[in-house]
Amino acid sequence: MEFSSKLLENAVNEVSRLPGIGKRTALRLVLHLLKQPKDNTTFLSEALLHLRSDVETCEKCHNISDTILCAICKNTKRNPDIICVVEDIRDVMAIESTSQYNGVYHVLGGKISPIEGIGPQNLQIESLVRKVAEGEAKELIFALSSTMEGDTTNFYIYKQIEKFDITTSTIARGISVGDELEYADEVTLGRSIVNRIPFEQSIRG
Amino acid sequence: MEFSSKLLENAVNEVSRLPGIGKRTALRLVLHLLKQPKDNTTFLSEALLHLRSDVETCEKCHNISDTILCAICKNTKRNPDIICVVEDIRDVMAIESTSQYNGVYHVLGGKISPIEGIGPQNLQIESLVRKVAEGEAKELIFALSSTMEGDTTNFYIYKQIEKFDITTSTIARGISVGDELEYADEVTLGRSIVNRIPFEQSIRG
């Protein structure tokens, strides 16, 4: 791609460094900004700069926050005895949107993944184990994604905390609400039969 | 989508104003920036700000440029007698990448589109007509996209300049090089038969 302007080339190169955005898409986005009022570009750039320089990580649960302690950890109506272990802030947002959970979170910041060079020391595992060791919680809910890396991470944490007096659980895997059985994959269907629940419990939910 | 951070929410909202980028994608991009070194965000934001405030539009062809006269208009080896009329800079880049054109360009900045509220007065048509009226060029090549809006724009410009002594042409429409005839649409195939060229000419190309 040959550019008639160094400024344009530079902007396109920077935008195309974002994941999933190629040179052509980057050019489309940058040309869009050029056609819009100048303020749009200013607001966009400043929002990114402010976020990057001023955002905090909650010192307790490592969630992204504007303050040293996030709104969930600060909230006295939440139950601090139950900690839901998740990968990143998107999982917190997903669980919060269900309005079904009243405990707190612990954001690991990723999963153990040797291929991507992410080991336990790159994640917020030590602080989680410390919380458990100090008796801060009564139950840990593992809510990592159901992949090789997620299972490895679950197991690694479990091994570190099994000696402590704490209940551990994982979120239920099964057929999605509204799905037809015939289209479900065997592993999910198998798990949902093995981990069946009393009917009375299902109609309460 | 509920955010635990106003800074994050603000950044996601600004990014999701870009065309084709929804809230989820915006969140993914912003979280990516948060995981990267701070410099990446700084470079990205500054590249956009510099572009928006310092980029010029070539006063002759209206192409995007770092200088008042773009590199193509400045280039004395290009033939200023032939002007290729295009929609935007992406078309200039596409034609330049063929290395088959040695004339100059005139960038309209869009097509006439009543639905989008774009009329002739919103495009660089007046300055094109003036160039033609002042005898600056010997040939105009219409290279707009082959849509209703493109054809309307071509025709509108043609009507303005037909009284002047200038050759007009449009780029050839036909079967793509390498394409099988049986999969071509009828309009394209029809045009390529009507506008057939001498065989000797085709083997020179």
Side-chain angles (χ1 to χ4, degrees), chain B residues 13 16 20 67 74 82 117 123 130 159 173:
Chain B
N13 283 341
S16 67
T67 45
K74 252 192 265 184
I82 308 177
L123 304 173
R130 202 166 51 236
K159 278 284 154 199
R173 311 287 176 185

Side-chain angles (χ1 to χ4, degrees), chain A:
Chain A
M1 223 182 239
E2 273 202 34
F3 290 90
S4 58
S5 153
K6 275 275 161 211
L7 290 166
L8 181 66
E9 181 171 10
N10 194 17
V12 169
N13 283 342
E14 288 297 333
V15 173
S16 68
R17 290 174 71 177
L18 292 170
I21 297 197
K23 287 265 163 124
R24 272 167 193 274
T25 307
L27 179 60
R28 189 167 55 81
L29 297 179
V30 169
L31 291 179
H32 170 84
L33 284 176
L34 278 180
K35 278 190 184 174
Q36 299 289 310
K38 197 172 168 180
D39 274 356
N40 290 23
T41 309
T42 314
F43 291 152
L44 170 63
S45 300
E46 285 179 355
L48 293 177
L49 286 172
H50 279 163
L51 173 72
R52 197 63 185 83
S53 58
D54 297 339
V55 84
E56 301 275 353
T57 305
C58 172
E59 61 173 14
K60 203 157 178 187
C61 73
H62 312 293
N63 193 6
I64 290 168
S65 167
D66 291 347
T67 44
I68 295 173
L69 216 57
C70 79
I72 295 173
C73 289
K74 253 194 265 185
N75 188 341
T76 51
K77 286 183 186 154
R78 312 273 311 206
N79 180 359
D81 289 341
I82 309 179
I83 299 178
C84 182
V85 181
V86 295
E87 246 180 270
D88 73 14
I89 185 174
R90 276 176 289 186
D91 305 320
V92 174
M93 289 165 72
I95 295 174
E96 283 300 289
S97 71
T98 68
S99 310
Q100 295 289 319
Y101 180 64
N102 192 39
V104 296
Y105 295 91
H106 184 95
V107 180
L108 295 174
K111 293 170 290 194
I112 295 173
S113 169
I115 293 173
E116 293 175 47
I118 303 173
Q121 72 285 354
N122 304 117
L123 304 173
Q124 299 291 354
I125 291 179
E126 205 189 306
S127 61
L128 176 62
V129 174
R130 203 165 51 234
K131 275 185 206 172
V132 174
E134 291 170 0
E136 271 190 47
K138 294 197 180 113
E139 181 178 353
L140 275 199
I141 305 174
F142 291 115
L144 302 191
S145 48
S146 179
T147 58
M148 175 88 89
E149 289 88 1
D151 291 344
T152 306
T153 312
N154 283 344
F155 193 69
Y156 180 89
I157 297 173
Y158 179 74
K159 277 285 154 200
Q160 307 254 312
I161 59 159
E162 62 176 341
K163 58 178 177 283
F164 301 113
D165 175 31
I166 190 158
T167 309
T168 50
S169 59
T170 84
I171 54 170
R173 311 287 176 187
I175 308 300
S176 293
V177 176
D179 261 14
E180 308 259 7
L181 282 206
E182 58 180 317
Y183 300 121
D185 68 289
E186 309 90 60
V187 180
T188 305
L189 189 52
R191 281 210 202 178
S192 75
I193 290 173
V194 172
N195 302 318
R196 62 195 176 278
I197 55 165
F199 185 69
E200 295 83 9
Q201 190 177 325
S202 77
I203 52 179
R204 278 206 317 264

Side-chain angles (χ1 to χ4, degrees), chain A residues 1-2 4-6 8 19 27 30-34 36 41 45 51-52 64 66 89-90 93, chain B residues 1-2 4-6 8 19 27 30-34 36 38 45 51-53 64 66 89-90 93:
Chain A
M1 223 182 239
E2 273 202 34
S4 58
S5 153
K6 275 275 161 211
L8 181 66
L27 179 60
V30 169
L31 291 179
H32 170 84
L33 284 176
L34 278 180
Q36 299 289 310
T41 309
S45 300
L51 173 72
R52 197 63 185 83
I64 290 168
D66 291 347
I89 185 174
R90 276 176 289 186
M93 289 165 72
Chain B
M1 222 181 235
E2 275 203 33
S4 58
S5 154
K6 275 277 160 207
L8 181 66
L27 179 61
V30 169
L31 291 178
H32 171 83
L33 284 176
L34 277 180
Q36 299 287 310
K38 197 171 167 180
S45 300
L51 173 72
R52 197 62 185 79
S53 58
I64 290 169
D66 292 346
I89 184 175
R90 277 175 287 186
M93 288 166 73

Side-chain angles (χ1 to χ4, degrees), chain B residues 106-124:
Chain B
H106 185 93
V107 180
L108 294 175
K111 294 171 291 198
I112 295 172
S113 168
I115 293 173
E116 294 174 48
I118 304 173
Q121 72 283 359
N122 304 117
L123 304 173
Q124 299 291 354

